Amino acid sequence: METDKSKEQVIQYPVEDSTDSKGEADIDPGSEFVDGSRGGVLKRHINTQAIVNFGFTLQAAWEASGVSFQFSLLNGGPASLVYGSLFAGIGSTAIAISLAEMASMDPVVGAQYRWSAAFAPKANAFWGLFQGWVTVFAWITCTAASPAYLANVVQGLAIFNYDTYVPERWHGTLIMWGFILIPVVWNFYFRKMLNTLEMIGGVCHTVFFIISIITLAVCARRSTTDFVFNTLTHDMSGDEVKGARKRVPHSMITAVTLNSIMQFAFMVTLMFCIGDINKVSESPTALPIIEVYWEATRSKHGTNILVTMMAFVLFISLFNIFASVSRLTWSFAKDHGLPFSDAFSYLHPTLNVPVNALLLVGVVCALLSLINIGSSTAFNALISLPLITLYISYGIPITFILIRKVRGLHTRYGPFQLGRWGIPINTFAVIYILFILSFVALPTIRPVVASNMNYAGPLACAVMLIALGDWFIHGKRRFQVPASRAVGD
């Protein structure tokens, strides 16, 4: 089982709806988030430090890049990793800034589909439902990808430490189920401990980064500057946030920017310290980062510790992802965006948790992991789907707010406003998204055959067709366009 995408994503915070049935904002920092038109209530309990750490650890950019860089190394080379990390960091920050401005206007669960419904020039209900389907699918498959990263690490370490171990795809699926079960149960019964968990994750994310950089810099054999910056290769096979309108935008930008810097620094260090590139790319563990650490330290214990540190932060991010995605699903169901919305919009009266939505996310992830038993290629396509659908979900509301700005239409801005920089930053974000979408669905290996084809593009089209089908069959009568405080009269 392999995964081929790093976690380049902008954050879906578990911020709760704070508009009443008339669309008026209740922004009292100590109040509960209430959706008066739907009847759901979720309490704020995430403080300032925790929300920054939420986004910081949710992305886990350098860790995710570390356990999946082999794909870019084989199909692009060291220079593509270095410059790609820099370019992706700049583009992702532009996206985060654009979304942060909208989050300041209307910090709600299901942000993207609500913003698309609010800012669409016309057909608001259609764009809200379409965006909702794309966003929910994207984040559920993104949730399934995270246990896959961890299963890869576990199996890679097993191969590294035990010569007699023979990996099987069903082993990976069982490991994934374990990594799915733990955060699901945690979000049921220990939700109020997320603050503490996120603080631990944020500290480990930073401390482990420093340890990894120092270890590689001190112990590893150096690559040449020309190798790192000029070498290209190809055709190689092998919720509850207090003071949300101010804190969410700043934490989004902080998390994305810091993760981008850390990812770039880690990639540069990794390329300078990669050692024998042939040994790394042909590692029997199928996880080249293990070979990199082993070549640097020549210590199995040291390698195990360094790889486990990366896996630990990825594991902590799972708790954040399940919390966020379950609330996104719950919010979309509250607006009758999903079939059986009454069931999935249920909020447990004492746990204050969207129980059915959380179970739905967990069950779907578990079912998706079964595909890996039959075909790792098909499973990789499913977990590659977020890269396309997430960018589509970012691009739609940014495009709509950009159109409003160009037309001079009135928008009720929040505390964070881009002002005269809004149109340039939004424009760059849209161009960057289009650039990514133009090639991300292309095959990574030539010649293209059934076993190595990139199926993410066709799957993304299938998701959009499902959204369109739902709209015409029942969605346009079922979906209730959420009120937004962001659009003025």
Side-chain angles (χ1 to χ4, degrees), residues 4-5 381 384-389 391-392 433-445 448 452-461 464:
D4 63 349
K5 303 296 179 186
S384 298
L385 181 62
L387 192 60
I388 297 177
T389 48
Y391 274 104
I392 293 173
I433 290 169
L434 292 174
F435 172 74
I436 294 296
L437 292 176
S438 68
F439 73 83
V440 74
L442 298 177
T444 58
I445 298 174
V448 180
N452 64 27
M453 180 180 171
N454 186 348
Y455 292 95
L459 282 172
C461 292
M464 290 185 281

Side-chain angles (χ1 to χ4, degrees), residues 221-235:
R221 188 181 69 183
R222 298 289 189 278
S223 303
T224 64
T225 301
D226 183 70
F227 172 82
V228 174
F229 294 104
N230 296 323
T231 303
L232 295 170
T233 61
H234 60 87
D235 292 340

Side-chain angles (χ1 to χ4, degrees), residues 57-370:
T57 57
L58 183 147
Q59 295 178 80
W62 75 268
E63 296 92 345
S65 298
V67 299
S68 63
F69 76 93
Q70 63 267 29
F71 301 99
S72 296
L73 182 65
L74 294 173
N75 297 281
S80 73
L81 276 165
V82 171
Y83 296 123
S85 296
L86 180 61
F87 181 61
I90 295 171
S92 296
T93 301
I95 294 173
I97 292 172
S98 300
L99 296 178
E101 185 180 44
M102 287 182 275
S104 182
M105 302 177 200
D106 201 7
V108 291
V109 173
Q112 286 121 292
Y113 83 83
R114 289 177 173 237
W115 296 336
S116 292
F119 298 130
K122 55 183 178 180
N124 301 71
F126 168 78
W127 285 111
L129 183 70
F130 180 84
Q131 171 90 54
W133 271 103
V134 171
T135 305
V136 169
F137 261 81
W139 277 96
I140 290 180
T141 51
C142 184
T143 307
S146 297
Y149 281 110
L150 289 165
N152 277 350
V153 172
V154 171
Q155 288 192 284
L157 288 176
I159 296 169
F160 178 67
N161 288 282
Y162 303 101
D163 295 335
T164 58
Y165 174 68
V166 179
E168 299 287 351
R169 285 201 291 264
W170 64 267
H171 296 173
T173 295
L174 288 179
I175 295 169
M176 288 176 63
W177 282 0
F179 283 123
I180 291 169
L181 181 63
I182 294 171
V184 168
V185 173
W186 181 283
N187 273 280
F188 272 130
Y189 300 109
F190 306 105
R191 184 172 59 92
K192 291 185 179 180
M193 294 179 65
L194 278 176
N195 275 355
T196 302
L197 193 65
E198 287 154 4
M199 292 293 289
I200 293 172
V203 171
C204 291
H205 181 54
T206 304
V207 172
F208 293 168
F209 169 77
I210 296 171
I211 293 173
S212 296
I213 291 289
I214 292 174
T215 301
L216 289 173
V218 172
C219 299
R221 188 181 69 183
R222 298 289 189 278
S223 303
T224 64
T225 301
D226 183 70
F227 172 82
V228 174
F229 294 104
N230 296 323
T231 303
L232 295 170
T233 61
H234 60 87
D235 292 340
M236 295 178 65
S237 55
D239 16 83
E240 302 92 285
V241 180
K242 300 174 182 177
R245 298 183 73 191
K246 294 182 180 179
R247 294 177 180 175
V248 168
H250 290 99
S251 60
M252 288 173 67
I253 297 169
T254 300
V256 172
T257 302
L258 290 179
N259 266 289
S260 298
I261 293 171
M262 293 171 74
Q263 181 181 21
F264 175 69
F266 183 73
M267 283 295 106
V268 172
T269 304
L270 189 63
M271 292 303 100
F272 268 113
C273 304
I274 196 169
D276 188 331
I277 190 172
N278 291 322
K279 284 186 177 179
V280 170
S281 61
E282 297 171 5
S283 171
T285 65
L287 199 69
I289 192 63
I290 295 177
E291 188 67 29
V292 173
Y293 284 137
W294 166 245
E295 290 292 325
T297 64
R298 306 308 297 181
S299 166
K300 280 201 168 186
H301 293 305
T303 300
N304 287 330
I305 291 171
L306 289 166
V307 175
T308 301
M309 289 192 309
M310 300 175 73
F312 178 76
V313 178
L314 291 171
F315 178 61
I316 294 295
S317 73
L318 272 178
F319 297 85
N320 300 336
I321 294 172
F322 273 96
S324 179
V325 178
S326 63
R327 283 150 179 79
L328 165 65
T329 306
W330 167 78
S331 177
F332 194 44
K334 275 203 310 171
D335 292 322
H336 299 282
L338 292 174
F340 312 107
S341 289
D342 289 341
F344 296 126
S345 62
Y346 171 73
L347 190 68
H348 195 282
T350 56
L351 295 176
N352 198 235
V353 170
V355 173
N356 293 340
L358 180 58
L359 286 174
L360 174 66
V361 174
V363 169
V364 171
C365 288
L367 292 175
L368 289 176
S369 67
L370 288 172

Side-chain angles (χ1 to χ4, degrees), residues 370-390:
L370 288 172
I371 298 174
N372 181 66
I373 297 176
S375 171
S376 59
T377 300
F379 181 71
N380 285 337
L382 279 171
I383 61 176
S384 298
L385 181 62
L387 192 60
I388 297 177
T389 48
L390 280 177

